[in-house]
Amino acid sequence: MTAEPTPQTAPHSPPDPPYPPGLREAEEFRRPLGRRLLAPLATLAGVGAAFAYVGAVDPNEPGHYPVCPLLRFTGLYCPGCGGLRGAHAVAHGDLVTALGANALAVAGYAVCAVLMVVWLVHAVRGAPTRLAVRPAWWWAIGALTALFTVIRNLPFGSGLAP
């Protein structure tokens, strides 16, 4: 003989989610604009300060920045070699010199600038910002960086060397 479940012995249903669908976005929109803009503007200020410093202190002059350890000990250019010189040139508006110093870094600066604009627009609109990059894209970025590094260290790729 089986007993019918009573309210005390009935199986518990899973708890409701902490918020209905779409409520998190609504809560984000209700936050004051100043609070929504705090993180992206603070990040922008930090990046701007870094570029201002590199723009003011020329990395082409010896003694201001440390030498790349890979270059010092092996004579090989890493993927970041020339990145500071490229940032200095970008800060001075010289895109041709920046691309000559490190084209991959300049492309990275451009991608970061676009992502910063997207983050700011989402913050103003009150929409959450999610960056979901598929693993295939990470592999492609890694392969591109490795290829860039190998080519810039070969004789025919000297145009990519700083």
Side-chain angles (χ1 to χ4, degrees), residues 56-137:
V57 181
D58 190 358
N60 295 306
E61 299 294 324
H64 293 294
Y65 299 98
V67 178
C68 172
L70 184 68
L71 181 61
R72 172 177 273 179
F73 296 122
T74 67
L76 297 173
Y77 296 114
C78 77
C81 280
L84 283 175
R85 289 185 289 272
H88 179 78
V90 167
H92 288 275
D94 189 358
L95 191 58
V96 174
T97 302
L99 288 169
N102 189 327
L104 188 64
V106 174
Y109 304 151
V111 168
C112 288
V114 168
L115 291 175
M116 179 59 66
V117 168
V118 169
W119 190 14
L120 282 167
V121 168
H122 281 195
V124 167
R125 291 182 178 171
T129 302
R130 292 184 181 92
L131 179 62
V133 181
R134 294 182 178 172
W137 280 102

